């Protein structure tokens, strides 16, 4: 049976989302179909508007409506600590633990298999950020995923910071820590519950 | 942490969909965020356009871009058999079995708990449809869900068709059938509930 085009269209769009198969996609589409026009229109607008007002913060590369982002421009936050994460989504999880320092979003993880090298990530900007704020920064927490790629990225960032410290001998010694692997290895940071994540922050160890 | 409004907005919209919790909603939103503007715009448009071109077929109440729908206006189909279903989505599943008769969409199932009575469903229209096409229709398959509500709806439709046949004594005797309830193919007998197993035994067929 050929479905009406607009139905087929939306089912196809839903199928592109992660974790949504053909059956779920059809279910979601028919669910919307049964909703009032206004609700469906609201949803459509929310999708269309998503990227219109958003930009990446030039300091930490988090997603934001302002420049610099809310976190970077919040002087109440602890300016002496930077938490390095892979994705903006990770910040939401970490924010729930009560962490009140700054962030730096790498925009992914090093993954040679997918052709992603250090040069594709916001690592250079992190190093120069640390170099410029060397008097303020006391600790860098490496909170990349506890996966192969995440570990590799953490190691690479560690090396780069060490190199920076060798070059700028006047730089205050920065503590570099890695979140504890209380997180299930091979897991994904964004799925961790708040407690596990809090423990992981508490149990961080110096390299 | 306060999220940018447009992000919050879309997460909220995703959360309204069935089977999508707060974490999944955030994940889907950030997934879209990482996509090119054009792709996101396409998705938004697909949602917004969903209901603009669609209407309910005045004969079978399926969703369609034309009036009557593609199925009702397809003379190649077997016109002597009507399959009664709860939702338009059910038609997609049935179409895959190779069934080539007509359909009638009730638009739900009788559910007094949710305040849905027979008068809220497309049952009257089904009865008058059968009354008008009595010379053509040979069988009505009741394919509502094998749930409490679905069974109640099937029983009600059965009674109404019987009543119609009593009133219109000239009407050809119509066969009324109910889809078989039994073990799902590929299922495991030991996990089947008692009701299903009872139905499977009742419906047993000789080789």
């Amino acid at each position: 049976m050929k479905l009406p085009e607009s139905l087929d269209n939306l089912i196809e769009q839903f199928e592109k989302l992660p974790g949504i198969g053909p059956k779920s996609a059809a279910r979601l589409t028919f669910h919307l179909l049964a909703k009032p026009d206004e609700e469906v229109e609201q949803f459509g607008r929310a999708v269309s508007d998503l990227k219109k007002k958003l930009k990446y913060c030039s300091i930490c590369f988090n997603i934001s409506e302002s420049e610099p982002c809310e976190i970077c421009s919040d002087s109440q936050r602890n300016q002496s600590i930077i938490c390095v994460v892979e994705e903006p989504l990770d910040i939401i999880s970490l924010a729930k633990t009560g962490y009140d320092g700054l962030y730096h979003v790498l925009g992914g993880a090093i993954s040679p298999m997918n052709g992603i090298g250090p040069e594709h990530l916001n690592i250079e900007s992190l190093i120069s950020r640390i170099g410029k704020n060397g008097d303020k920064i006391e600790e860098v927490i490496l909170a990349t995923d506890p996966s192969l790629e995440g570990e590799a990225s953490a190691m690479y960032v560690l090396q780069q910071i060490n190199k920076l410290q060798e070059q700028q001998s006047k730089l205050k010694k920065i503590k570099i820590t890695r979140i504890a692997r209380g997180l299930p290895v091979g897991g994904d940071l964004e799925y961790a519950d708040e407690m596990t994540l809090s423990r992981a922050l508490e149990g961080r160890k110096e390299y």
Side-chain angles (χ1 to χ4, degrees), chain A:
Chain A
M1 193 189 70
K2 234 189 97 289
L3 280 179
E5 202 192 328
S6 50
L7 270 176
D8 247 353
N9 233 336
L10 185 57
I11 292 175
E12 208 177 281
Q13 293 290 337
F14 270 126
E15 273 185 61
K16 286 186 194 167
L17 298 178
I20 296 185
K23 284 225 168 186
S24 295
R27 235 178 99 241
L28 294 174
T29 301
F30 278 89
H31 171 86
L32 281 177
L33 205 54
K35 292 281 156 199
D37 291 10
E38 178 47 33
E39 263 183 57
V40 177
E41 190 43 53
Q42 246 173 33
F43 185 20
R45 233 180 300 125
V47 175
S48 299
D49 287 355
L50 177 62
K51 297 189 75 171
K52 281 183 190 152
K53 293 179 202 161
L54 294 179
K55 40 188 161 272
Y56 289 100
C57 169
S58 65
I59 299 174
C60 74
F61 298 91
N62 185 20
I63 282 149
S64 172
E65 280 173 332
S66 56
E67 165 60 30
C69 76
E70 272 185 40
I71 294 174
C72 286
S73 52
D74 182 357
S75 60
Q76 298 295 304
R77 286 188 158 261
N78 184 344
Q79 307 286 320
S80 69
I81 183 162
I82 296 180
C83 185
V84 177
V85 297
E86 292 182 18
E87 305 288 350
L89 187 50
D90 299 332
I91 294 183
I92 299 182
S93 301
L94 285 164
K96 288 180 190 149
T97 68
Y99 170 79
D100 82 330
L102 303 174
Y103 293 95
H104 196 89
V105 180
L106 295 184
I110 296 172
S111 171
M113 295 274 287
N114 297 309
I116 300 173
E119 69 277 16
H120 299 106
L121 305 174
N122 305 317
I123 294 178
E124 228 181 271
S125 57
L126 171 66
I127 302 305
S128 76
R129 183 178 171 192
I130 295 171
K132 266 184 261 170
N133 298 281
D135 50 330
K136 275 189 280 178
I137 297 168
E138 283 165 15
E139 180 174 356
V140 174
I141 304 175
L142 302 178
T144 51
D145 285 346
S147 62
L148 213 62
E149 291 84 3
E151 297 291 354
S153 308
M155 280 311 292
Y156 184 85
V157 172
L158 170 67
Q159 287 164 0
Q160 293 306 107
I161 299 178
N162 282 340
K163 204 186 281 179
L164 174 77
Q165 294 202 305
E166 280 166 31
Q167 287 165 358
Q168 299 193 15
S169 49
K170 287 181 298 179
L171 206 66
K172 195 166 63 181
K173 178 72 186 153
I174 295 172
K175 190 158 86 176
I176 307 171
T177 56
R178 176 89 174 103
I179 46 165
R181 268 133 289 188
L183 294 169
V185 174
D188 200 326
L189 200 137
E190 70 188 73
Y191 288 118
D193 60 291
E194 289 168 42
M195 277 308 293
T196 308
L197 218 45
S198 294
R199 297 283 176 182
L201 276 173
E202 281 168 23
R204 67 187 186 266
K205 289 205 179 106
E206 198 169 346
Y207 267 117

